[in-house]
């Protein structure tokens, strides 16, 4: 084997490391139900806004120690999807023809609503997660930048989610307006 063949043999793998890498897929964590917020039923108006598009649906969420259930409906009353999570398995049912990222919606909801101590436990710094908490915001980031930013509206249960999970050049906002909240 010539020295040029050996050089090419050793340099080819090295060149591949300089290729542009695809953005990594971030998988948010499912958090335990028993460590979530107080048992309650929420009725919320959810608005997704991305560039010039806007979509709305109504969500009914039942938060209990043993189970979290969510049903999403269009303003017309048509079912979009349902989620059922008992702390181990997330069961999803999609009633529409559209591919809905229901698990992502659910994990973002948990990140926004679960106590700070639990979020810190499931998104540890030693696994590359960067967290920031204040009275009005929560931020989830990793080495590639901000992934989620939650902005809480003062004196209400309303919030805004800035979602960068699919790239900082392709963010979208989710506005969550709590219409009713009943403690169980």
């Amino acid at each position: 084997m010539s020295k040029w063949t050996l050089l090419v043999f050793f340099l080819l793998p090295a060149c591949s490391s300089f290729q542009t890498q695809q953005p990594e897929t971030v998988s948010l964590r499912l958090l335990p139900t028993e460590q979530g917020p107080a048992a309650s039923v929420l009725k919320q108006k959810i608005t997704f806004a991305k560039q010039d598009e806007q979509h709305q649906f109504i969500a009914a969420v039942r938060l209990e120690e043993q189970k979290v259930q969510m049903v999403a409906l269009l303003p017309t009353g048509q079912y979009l999807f349902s989620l059922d999570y008992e702390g181990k398995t997330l069961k999803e049912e999609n009633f529409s023809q559209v591919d809905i990222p229901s698990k992502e919606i659910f994990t973002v909801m948990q990140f926004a609503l679960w106590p700070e101590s639990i979020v810190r436990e499931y998104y540890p710094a030693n696994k590359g997660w960067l967290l920031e908490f204040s009275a009005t915001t929560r931020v989830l980031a990793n080495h590639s930048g901000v992934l989620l930013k939650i902005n809480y509206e003062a004196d209400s249960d309303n919030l805004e989610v800035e979602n960068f999970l699919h790239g900082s050049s392709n963010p979208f906002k989710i506005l969550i307006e709590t219409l009713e909240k009943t403690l169980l």
Side-chain angles (χ1 to χ4, degrees):
M1 193 179 295
S2 76
K3 64 180 178 181
W4 292 110
T5 306
L6 282 173
L7 182 62
V8 170
F9 180 74
F10 286 110
L11 286 179
L12 276 176
C15 291
S16 68
S17 66
F18 291 108
Q19 294 176 351
T20 306
Q21 294 185 3
Q22 296 295 322
E24 69 180 87
T25 302
V26 176
S27 181
L28 298 181
R29 309 288 190 247
L30 285 167
L31 306 178
T33 58
E34 67 274 0
Q35 297 173 327
S40 58
V41 175
L42 304 171
K43 181 179 176 186
Q44 300 174 313
K45 179 175 132 183
I46 315 288
T47 304
F48 284 92
K50 183 177 179 181
Q51 295 168 349
D52 294 336
E53 287 184 56
Q54 186 169 308
H55 303 282
Q56 290 186 338
F57 66 86
I58 301 296
V61 182
R62 185 177 184 95
L63 301 161
E64 296 179 288
E65 189 174 310
Q66 306 303 323
K67 182 185 269 195
V68 177
Q69 296 172 301
M70 179 179 186
V71 175
L73 306 141
L74 288 172
T76 61
Q78 177 186 354
Y79 282 90
L80 280 175
F81 65 88
S82 69
L83 300 170
D84 194 352
Y85 179 60
E86 84 302 324
K88 293 185 177 142
T89 306
L90 179 66
K91 296 176 186 166
E92 308 168 65
E93 193 167 356
N94 187 346
F95 301 105
S96 73
Q97 301 298 322
V98 180
D99 186 28
I100 298 171
S102 51
K103 180 180 180 186
E104 181 178 311
I105 292 168
F106 188 76
T107 55
V108 169
M109 176 193 74
Q110 285 189 307
F111 180 78
L113 297 179
W114 263 233
E116 178 182 338
S117 61
I118 302 307
V119 172
R120 285 192 183 281
E121 181 181 336
Y122 282 83
Y123 292 93
N126 65 357
K127 298 285 186 187
W129 297 106
L130 304 169
L131 297 167
E132 183 182 314
F133 291 88
S134 76
T136 58
T137 61
R138 279 189 183 189
V139 178
L140 174 66
N142 66 10
H143 66 278
S144 63
V146 173
L147 303 170
L148 291 174
K149 183 175 181 185
I150 313 294
N151 299 302
Y152 298 95
E153 192 176 291
D155 301 323
S156 78
D157 290 324
N158 300 339
L159 56 102
E160 176 187 75
V161 177
E162 293 179 78
N163 186 325
F164 301 94
L165 289 168
H166 305 284
S168 59
S169 63
N170 197 21
F172 59 89
K173 289 186 179 184
I174 306 166
L175 306 171
I176 303 171
E177 180 184 350
T178 300
L179 305 172
E180 292 177 32
K181 182 177 182 177
T182 307
L183 295 175
L184 298 177

